[in-house]
Amino acid sequence: MATSFSVQHRIFYGLAPAIDEGPREIIKSYTFAAAGTQADSLTKEILAKELSFIQGMYFNNKAGGGIMTLFSRQYEMSIEIANKTQGFMPLFWGNDPEFEVTAAAAGTIQFNFINVPVAPYIWTVS
Amino acid sequence: MAFDPSRFTLSAFPGTLIGKPVQICTTQAHQSKTVVINQDWANPIYGGNPNVQININQGTTNPLDKIIGCYIDNSRCNDDIVLYFPDTTYSIPVPGLTTRFAPVFTQTGICNLYKPLGNLQFPDGSHKQTQVILCNFLTDSFGLDSTIPRTVDLWQRSEGVDGTPDLIIPTVGDTNVSFILTLQVAHGGQIVVAPAAAGQQFIITNLQIAIYRAFNTASASSGNIGLASNFKDVPVRVSTNLDYYPYTILFSQSDEYIIIDGTIGIQVFNNFVMDAGNAHFLFDYSLIAAQ
């Protein structure tokens, strides 16, 4: 269970637009005091018309204390994110994304969920 | 060289496959979909033949119209696997404990999933698993580095380990122990091999159990001998049914690791009574501290 999490909405520019809306993102941050799992959803944000769907993400686990896992139960895609890494990942999600964030240890991870597809890429932050 | 599948037989994948509409790369003229295949390598339905053929056009609800890309999650299996497309002989090897995205070259909906080497289970009996997600949209080619530190989930740990998972880096054992143990214990008896202080664990990367010059004068001549964890559990056990052992390797493992919580012991049980004999255990192990 995350001790706190935050959410922001932003419109950004520079990437290819999606079908009928500009590139947008939803930023979520999860802080864990110990190992645990936090269930969450983007349904509320999507219903608020901030964006229509999720196709990818940027993640930042550079402040994390351990490995984080992002798991979509409906679409069965699991992505394990090593400590002290950032990167981009495509997400095979539908339009009702519910997911779980699991931390192996205390730490904070940030996800920028975006409505444009991205190529997978990960780099390590020292 | 391309992967050679000729030395393997195949079973039909037994699960139900469902095509799931997803949003990535969906356009007005194209609905992106994925089919998720969760392969349990130790599924008893395979009858000892874990290599499977997957046909997305048979028994599939809402199947893909074509296969163009895939995501393979082999992080719950520490052996290399291969996804093979027979019409083009295109193969995608994926190392153990890694995941990767890959584009696919095929004209059909048929692919084969092979695990050429290694056991089907982890030492604690949990099943190795690999997930394949086939896509009708193009994915990039990208593999996650296998050298990143991994968590050891509870399912990978010996049953005697309590508490939450710890973050450890599996290391090659820095201590090698080879010793001879004379077993003169009765049913249920344990012998301490390596004592540990409170909170300490051992990670064993290589293990061989052998018995030699042993004979059994008891009426019951079958039973088990195993590696005991802190007098609580026996995560590694082997069955024996011989009355005399000239030199018999009962158990050998070098491609996996075992975590023992606390003192390492050896236990005999289930009517396995040895009046005299020698057991030969080989260990590569490191002492680690529980976090």
Side-chain angles (χ1 to χ4, degrees):
Chain A
M1 192 76 177
T3 54
S4 68
F5 64 90
S6 64
V7 57
Q8 303 174 46
H9 307 269
R10 284 206 308 230
I11 299 174
F12 62 94
Y13 303 95
L15 288 176
I19 297 174
D20 55 0
E21 63 188 7
R24 296 188 181 188
E25 64 182 345
I26 297 173
I27 305 171
K28 289 211 167 193
S29 177
Y30 301 86
T31 298
F32 292 84
T37 297
Q38 174 70 52
D40 202 355
S41 164
L42 293 171
T43 304
K44 184 173 61 179
E45 288 80 9
I46 287 176
L47 287 175
K49 303 291 186 184
E50 290 295 331
L51 46 73
S52 298
F53 42 77
I54 302 299
Q55 298 197 72
M57 69 171 177
Y58 160 79
F59 62 85
N60 186 334
N61 192 22
K62 66 179 182 181
I67 292 174
M68 305 282 187
T69 303
L70 181 70
F71 175 64
S72 166
R73 187 169 300 284
Q74 297 137 303
Y75 301 97
E76 299 186 62
M77 188 183 198
S78 177
I79 292 177
E80 200 166 80
I81 300 164
N83 189 25
K84 295 186 178 180
T85 60
Q86 302 178 60
F88 296 95
M89 275 288 157
L91 294 172
F92 303 166
W93 287 4
N95 55 9
D96 50 348
E98 296 178 355
F99 57 93
E100 295 174 0
V101 181
T102 298
T108 298
I109 189 167
Q110 172 186 312
F111 297 101
N112 293 42
F113 297 108
I114 54 180
N115 62 349
V116 291
V118 292
Y121 187 69
I122 294 177
W123 65 96
T124 301
V125 180
S126 60
Chain B
M1 287 292 292
F3 176 71
D4 179 11
S6 61
R7 59 195 174 103
F8 300 102
T9 56
L10 286 167
S11 300
F13 181 74
T16 300
L17 303 177
I18 300 173
K20 298 185 176 184
V22 294
Q23 293 287 11
I24 185 170
C25 300
T26 290
T27 66
Q28 292 179 341
H30 167 79
Q31 173 62 60
S32 292
K33 284 188 284 190
T34 61
V35 165
V36 181
I37 299 107
N38 289 310
Q39 165 72 345
D40 180 346
W41 292 107
N43 189 334
I45 198 171
Y46 300 147
N49 174 36
N51 302 303
V52 292
Q53 181 162 85
I54 300 156
N55 185 342
I56 63 168
N57 295 311
Q58 290 185 353
T60 307
T61 303
N62 193 21
L64 304 183
D65 50 329
K66 55 195 171 185
I67 302 174
I68 300 179
C70 68
Y71 174 66
I72 303 169
D73 186 343
N74 199 32
S75 61
R76 293 208 163 196
C77 173
N78 60 348
D79 302 313
D80 299 351
I81 62 99
V82 178
L83 186 64
Y84 179 79
F85 293 84
D87 65 327
T88 58
T89 71
Y90 174 60
S91 59
I92 304 171
V94 183
L97 299 175
T98 69
T99 62
R100 76 171 296 179
F101 295 87
V104 169
F105 307 148
T106 186
Q107 286 275 15
T108 71
I110 296 174
C111 57
N112 304 335
L113 187 59
Y114 299 94
K115 190 172 85 64
L117 298 171
N119 298 326
L120 304 180
Q121 298 181 345
F122 287 104
D124 67 352
S126 60
H127 295 187
K128 297 181 181 179
Q129 299 175 60
T130 299
Q131 183 188 62
V132 177
I133 301 180
L134 300 174
C135 314
N136 69 347
F137 52 91
L138 187 61
T139 57
D140 297 88
S141 180
F142 181 73
L144 269 68
D145 191 349
S146 63
T147 60
I148 63 174
R150 312 291 302 189
T151 51
V152 177
D153 293 333
L154 288 173
W155 52 266
Q156 276 182 279
R157 303 176 63 151
S158 64
E159 296 171 1
V161 178
D162 300 320
T164 56
D166 301 324
L167 178 64
I168 67 162
I169 301 173
T171 57
V172 176
D174 57 9
T175 305
N176 180 274
V177 175
S178 174
F179 61 92
I180 296 172
L181 178 72
T182 300
L183 287 172
Q184 288 183 318
V185 294
H187 166 61
Q190 291 192 345
I191 299 172
V192 172
V193 176
Q200 288 186 322
Q201 299 172 338
F202 292 96
I203 178 167
I204 297 172
T205 50
N206 292 285
L207 172 63
Q208 185 180 97
I209 301 174
I211 293 180
Y212 70 108
R213 279 172 40 199
F215 57 91
N216 193 335
T217 59
S219 58
S221 60
S222 64
N224 296 277
I225 183 169
L227 191 68
S229 168
N230 209 22
F231 302 101
K232 293 190 296 187
D233 185 41
V234 184
V236 177
R237 64 178 65 182
V238 288
S239 299
T240 62
N241 55 13
L242 301 175
D243 289 331
Y244 175 72
Y245 303 90
Y247 188 93
T248 306
I249 297 175
L250 301 175
F251 182 88
S252 182
Q253 177 179 279
S254 61
D255 59 344
E256 295 171 351
Y257 54 88
I258 308 163
I259 294 175
I260 299 291
D261 184 24
T263 296
I264 300 176
I266 294 167
Q267 185 178 28
V268 295
F269 54 107
N270 290 352
N271 296 318
F272 187 67
V273 180
M274 297 184 68
D275 293 330
N278 293 315
H280 192 191
F281 285 70
L282 295 170
F283 291 108
D284 284 343
Y285 72 87
S286 300
L287 184 65
I288 58 176
Q291 298 181 7

